[in-house]
Amino acid sequence: MPYGKMSNVLLLKQKNQAFLEFIDEQAAVTMVSFHQQNPAQIRMKPVYVQFSNHKELKTDQAHSFQNATAQAALQAASAVMGGPAEEGQKRTTLRIIVEHLVYPVGIEVLYQIFSKFGKVLKMIIFTKNNSFQALIQMSDPVAANAAKLSLDGQNIYNGCCTLRIDYSKLNNLNVKYNNDKSRDFTNPNLPSGDPGLDQAMPFGGSGSLVTSVVPGMGAAPLTAYGAANMVGGTPVYAQVPQMSNYGVPSAMGAARLMTLNAAAAGNAVLLVSNLDEQKVTPDALFTLFGVYGDVHRVKILFNKKDNALVQMAEPHQAQLAIAHLDKVKVWGKSIRVTQSKHTLVQMPKEGQPDAGLTKDFTNSPLHRFKRPGSKNCQNIFPPSAVLHLSNIPPNIEEDFITDAFSQHGQVKAFKFFPKDRKMALIQMASVDEAITALIAMHNYPLSDTNHLRVSFSKSTI
């Protein structure tokens, strides 16, 4: 930056090389001349600066995707040095849509991701048309632009929770409450608001929680729906390389930190209470909680058999189970699912009586999410009356399946997939009966080699 404005940059990590194109040739001459006398260093390592054989740097679309963070750095430098910027690049507020929302995403998760690109001032989150959205106000256009260019199209988790980022037309978010729907990071002393009001009216209505300031319009109440409608533009569907599960953050490469969200720092052990102690078994809980993650261990408490500990493979899977299973009815009772104070489910010591109440499923062949990027990650839904069935052998008829499911409730409808008879949908009379049927029928043997796979569905029959 001290030598002049740059127009392009290309980073070739495999070759430990980079190309840097200045707008003015004299700037390049000055830089090369200076570093011939004064060897350059980057992070305490010597680097060599010399003229390239290329007169002009041309990067195709594939290179720009691979160099998303390098391009973000170039844009940021250009803005800092007063270079030409598009109208959108002068804005500080971003509109984020999270697609394929498999795992919970909240203010803390988004703050951790976006704060690596600059100071996050304010944030609101809301749902519109069944899509999770957020408005994030950064401290300056450089931070907003760098975050947009680096994070648009990235997945928070492997294969799901995809970020679509565009500029918002809102210049300022005036947040009145600090809670799980809105946050002003510059003013930690704001009240949390009435929780009942927060649930009834997340933003807006009579007693709006958020006020927007739009150029030429002054202050105006901003409802969740109004916020989305006022945001202009269409998200850019960039296809950037898949991130690894855990990475090391760098100044402009903080997208690698995305998988280290707030849930990942949490606990993978759940406390499940108000179970039917006459019906609960470790295998039943393994099957039910296995819909939302890979269950490693289950322990039904010896002195309180309507309580159990369930250890998931990952903390974010535990959060997903809480989001979908807390307060649902299982065997006619509303169960509670909360985070446990325990961080590990202990197996009984050798020779210690356990009556089969503790079981280790770590090496079970029935885990749904063993393979990274599995399609199962994109087909996780809340408990529903309609169940998705798969792995059905060709000789199995509808009556056989409906008779088996009718042992666990009333079957209302059944339909094979027209193009793939290995799959079907079955509708039970209620969500409660569907949960009971899933527990009983998942992995049900239909032949010597085919075991039924059952999951909740968002479809209708």
Side-chain angles (χ1 to χ4, degrees):
M1 284 172 59
Y3 303 101
K5 294 176 183 176
M6 293 148 280
S7 57
N8 211 346
V9 61
L10 176 63
L11 189 62
L12 302 177
K13 287 191 174 182
Q14 297 87 346
K15 296 184 177 181
N16 295 329
Q17 292 181 359
F19 291 88
L20 196 60
E21 182 178 1
F22 285 92
I23 293 175
D24 178 20
E25 185 175 317
Q26 185 56 46
V29 172
T30 304
M31 182 174 178
V32 171
S33 299
F34 179 82
H35 288 298
Q36 283 176 344
Q37 305 298 323
N38 305 277
Q41 283 193 340
I42 295 179
R43 292 182 180 164
M44 307 302 291
K45 291 189 176 182
V47 294
Y48 304 99
V49 180
Q50 59 193 48
F51 289 113
S52 165
N53 293 327
H54 301 282
K55 292 293 182 185
E56 185 181 0
L57 186 57
K58 292 183 178 180
T59 53
D60 58 20
Q61 198 172 38
H63 274 126
S64 66
F65 286 148
Q66 293 166 16
N67 279 271
T69 52
Q71 292 296 319
L74 181 65
Q75 294 283 3
S78 175
V80 167
M81 300 175 73
E86 297 176 11
E87 184 61 32
Q89 293 172 7
K90 298 175 183 176
R91 298 176 187 163
T92 58
T93 303
L94 300 170
R95 190 267 305 261
I96 292 89
I97 297 175
V98 182
E99 297 179 346
H100 310 304
L101 187 67
V102 174
Y103 301 119
V105 175
I107 284 179
E108 287 77 11
V109 173
L110 292 173
Y111 178 82
Q112 189 172 7
I113 293 167
F114 281 81
S115 63
K116 299 304 170 184
F117 294 87
K119 191 173 182 181
V120 178
L121 301 184
K122 301 168 187 177
M123 190 185 311
I124 63 172
I125 61 174
F126 54 92
T127 301
K128 183 177 188 294
N129 296 333
N130 291 324
S131 73
F132 177 95
Q133 300 190 25
L135 294 173
I136 299 178
Q137 182 180 339
M138 306 295 289
S139 59
D140 57 79
V142 178
N145 187 40
K148 178 182 181 297
L149 197 51
S150 290
L151 299 178
D152 186 31
Q154 291 278 20
N155 294 332
I156 299 177
Y157 296 106
N158 188 17
C160 59
C161 298
T162 307
L163 293 172
R164 303 298 182 195
I165 304 175
D166 195 12
Y167 288 106
S168 167
K169 290 180 180 177
L170 303 173
N171 278 354
N172 185 53
L173 304 175
N174 187 9
V175 178
K176 293 184 177 180
Y177 295 111
N178 284 338
N179 52 36
D180 60 349
K181 299 291 185 185
S182 63
R183 197 76 53 88
D184 185 342
F185 296 99
T186 66
N187 187 2
N189 298 321
L190 285 178
S192 63
D194 182 345
L197 179 64
D198 292 349
Q199 291 175 4
M201 297 183 297
F203 302 102
S206 59
S208 174
L209 304 186
V210 180
T211 301
S212 68
V213 179
V214 184
M217 293 180 64
L222 172 63
T223 66
Y225 303 102
N229 290 333
M230 291 166 68
V231 176
T234 305
V236 179
Y237 284 75
Q239 295 185 359
V240 287
Q242 183 65 45
M243 291 184 301
S244 63
N245 280 344
Y246 294 98
V248 179
S250 58
M252 296 303 294
R256 301 299 184 269
L257 193 71
M258 290 170 67
T259 49
L260 295 174
N261 74 14
N267 183 5
V269 179
L270 300 168
L271 173 63
V272 188
S273 55
N274 202 37
L275 293 159
D276 185 329
E277 58 184 87
Q278 301 300 320
K279 295 182 178 178
V280 67
T281 64
D283 288 279
L285 293 177
F286 167 78
T287 300
L288 178 59
F289 282 78
V291 173
Y292 300 107
D294 293 336
V295 177
H296 279 187
R297 289 179 178 178
V298 177
K299 179 189 284 289
I300 297 170
L301 303 190
F302 187 78
N303 295 323
K304 201 174 183 185
K305 292 187 173 62
D306 62 346
N307 280 242
L309 296 175
V310 177
Q311 181 179 332
M312 309 295 287
E314 300 285 347
H316 61 74
Q317 295 176 350
Q319 294 297 321
L320 190 61
I322 292 173
H324 288 309
L325 294 178
D326 184 38
K327 298 178 184 174
V328 304
K329 278 192 176 181
V330 181
W331 301 304
K333 298 181 70 176
S334 292
I335 66 169
R336 293 306 313 270
V337 183
T338 59
Q339 204 121 31
S340 170
K341 64 181 180 182
H342 300 283
T343 56
L344 183 70
V345 172
Q346 297 284 356
M347 294 302 292
K349 294 175 182 175
E350 196 171 337
Q352 184 179 341
D354 180 63
L357 297 177
T358 308
K359 195 165 180 179
D360 190 311
F361 296 94
T362 305
N363 297 317
S364 170
L366 301 178
H367 290 311
R368 298 178 189 246
F369 308 101
K370 279 189 300 187
R371 288 175 299 161
S374 165
K375 282 187 177 179
N376 290 336
C377 289
Q378 299 173 30
N379 293 304
I380 297 177
F381 304 108
S384 55
V386 178
L387 298 170
H388 179 275
L389 314 181
S390 60
N391 207 32
I392 304 170
N395 62 318
I396 296 295
E397 298 296 333
E398 175 181 333
D399 290 346
F400 181 89
I401 298 175
T402 54
D403 286 349
F405 273 82
S406 64
Q407 305 298 312
H408 309 286
Q410 181 186 356
V411 176
K412 301 282 287 185
F414 179 91
K415 183 176 74 174
F416 278 112
F417 277 51
K419 295 182 179 179
D420 188 354
R421 209 176 170 282
K422 292 178 182 176
M423 296 191 290
L425 296 174
I426 189 166
Q427 182 177 346
M428 306 300 290
S430 67
V431 175
D432 302 1
E433 289 185 1
I435 291 172
T436 303
L438 181 143
I439 292 172
M441 295 299 296
H442 181 66
N443 204 43
Y444 183 83
L446 296 175
S447 70
D448 292 340
T449 55
N450 292 77
H451 287 67
L452 187 64
R453 298 284 176 262
V454 185
S455 57
F456 298 116
S457 174
K458 66 175 180 180
S459 302
T460 56
I461 302 179

